[in-house]
Amino acid sequence: MQASNIVEHDFKKSKSISNQQCVSCHEKSQYDWQQSDHSKAMAIAEKTTILADFNNKQVEHYGQKAHFFIKDDRYQVTMSYHDKADTYPIRYTFGHFPLQQYLVETEKGKLHVLPFAWDARKKVDGGQRWYHNYSHEEIRPEDRLHWRQPLQNWNGMCADCHSDGLVRNYEMKDNSFNTQFDNINVGCLSCHGDMTDHSKKAVKRNVSADTTSSKHPTGQWLRNLGDKTAHWQGEKRDNKFMDGCFACHSLRSPLNDGIKPNTPFLDQFSPQLLSSPNYHADGQIKEEVYVYGSFLQSKMYTAGVNCIDCHDKHTMKLKIEGNGLCLQCHGGEVYNVKEHHQHDNDSSGAQCVNCHMPDNRYMGVDDRRDHSFKIPRPDISQAFNTPNACTKCHDDKSNQWASESLVKWHGQPKPITTSKEYLMVLNSGQTVSIAQHLSIISDDKLDIISRATALQLLSYTTQTITADVLAPYLSHSEGLIRLSAANVATLLPLKDRVKYLSLLLQDQYKAIRVAAARGLVTSELLSTDKPLFDKAFKALINSNQINSWRGEGIANQGVLAIEMNNISAAEKSFINAIKVDPYFETGYINLADIYRAQQKPFQVASVLSKGIKNNPKSADLHYAYGLYFVRQKKIEKGITLFEQAMTLMPGNPQYAYTYILALDGAGQANQALAKLKTLIMNYQNNGQLKELGLYLSQKLNNRKDYDYFNSI
């Protein structure tokens, strides 16, 4: 076995700002904060912080082995796979419950999360054990999810939300980090910013006078006589502070290096919206998306509810356990009775959250609740294959059973609005007409993030849009709507695109200014734009550079270079993307496209072959390589690759279409028609396949099969 030692890098504080300046005046707040997960977000690895068993523990997962031990008063791990072994000291703990992860330095300045984590739950709950982060699959060294790859890199993926004032300081030229932070975990600075001036000016207050003051609150949640739920009464709420919460509790792409407190969310990030595969068709959470996308869908958010209505502002724990939390605003005589929840009181089925905030399990042991607060709709589950709380608990029952039970208890469910139904059709990957699509976007009764999602998906429905349709959204009062409109403004005619996107170069939010600059980047536009373009374009380049520690950021820079006709720079970007992130398939596909445009077939084949070797499960690479062989008049080799692509991604109708078309092109029309009949019903969006079936049936004078495809 080979062994290697890692030279440790000193992770220094970036500035002399400390949470300690707050403690002398805010002792109670500090005490409460110490009970929070924020206070344990990250810590130096030592006896007082490590929860796991390092007493010569051996764990193994699909041939990947870890030996956890203590030597020279240091917590260490030896990671081995086949004949290669590396020993690392544990540098930091990461989190504490329900799991604790551990960080090691794999190269100078680069920290990575170990693939084995400690289950910190009680033993009776299945905890107090080591487990693998991907317990149901083998993650080999050539997998993008392998713990040594960029997607498991602390500096890029995790760091900014686990420490105060963190900056990544990524350097592209040598693919290195000089990451620094103000404080090791999430403290006062992350939410309140640098309060140095405040601490110098602060004077002691008479707390007793504060608590006995006759000053009335500016507003509160109250229920009037006959109301089922409370309404905010008083001055309009200012919930902008939640942008600070969303900075970490969201799936987003950073525009800056580090997070600046008290700064609008869209001035620092471009959020990912509600589309597949991260969300189900009805907007319920699917992948690990955190809270932003779900909460913005909720009636609670629309009504003005904010995070600290339910969570204590310093402990971040729930203010009240159980149904009492919801009954702060929802009448117990209406909702906390068996007539409503239809379960025995004090049972799990009588808990509000189990029906309206079902949880998903992430990271092996971490159950997180959906914050969209939806009503269970098994009837929607039947139509769109979405989950619902009823059959999640009663997993031996059907959606039909659940639907019938709910009708018996509560009557027929409220009809889904037409636009909401169209949105679910769109989110499930099916086609809608342009009129149906636009009706989603224009429905002001839908939540803003759902409308913004539909707007961003316009390019799936149409290739062009007129200015009179899009212009109202480019000047909309809601930032998310303007952002989505800017992202799809490339559908506008060139003259209109310049006219309307140029106005957004002055938008109040950086995300929108960057999106506008992105839409204006073509060789025809650069010479006609305002000086404001240069500033927004610089921010665009900076955001790509910030994210260039992983393949996506470098590839984005390469695509940008192509649109500016700088093919040499684009080629360098994609080569670099492959170097930094060798199992990122897009780097290979884009580089091959450049060589194809330059009529360099040998280089195309070399790049795609290497890509498949590194990414054997990539449907896109097999498809691209198949197209290469078709262009080289070697259609038989192409057919094999198209079939592999179809097998690797069975939900993509384009792969099936190309496979059948290639069979026909190879003179195998009868076989193509027979194959198509066995495949077509596997695809919801099968219009193109149906047309192909009709064509092949006519070609073969097969009336029976023609009638079959015509009836689908």
Coordinates of all heavy atoms in Angstrom, one line a residue, residues 357 364 402:
M357 N -46.3 19.6 6.1 CA -44.8 19.7 5.8 C -44.1 18.4 5.8 O -43.3 18.1 6.7 CB -44.2 20.6 7.0 CG -44.8 22.0 7.0 SD -43.9 23.0 8.3 CE -42.3 23.2 7.6
G364 N -28.4 10.8 4.0 CA -28.5 9.6 4.8 C -29.4 9.5 6.0 O -30.1 8.6 6.2
A402 N -56.6 7.2 -0.9 CA -56.4 8.5 -0.2 C -57.4 9.5 -0.7 O -58.0 10.3 0.1 CB -55.0 8.9 -0.3

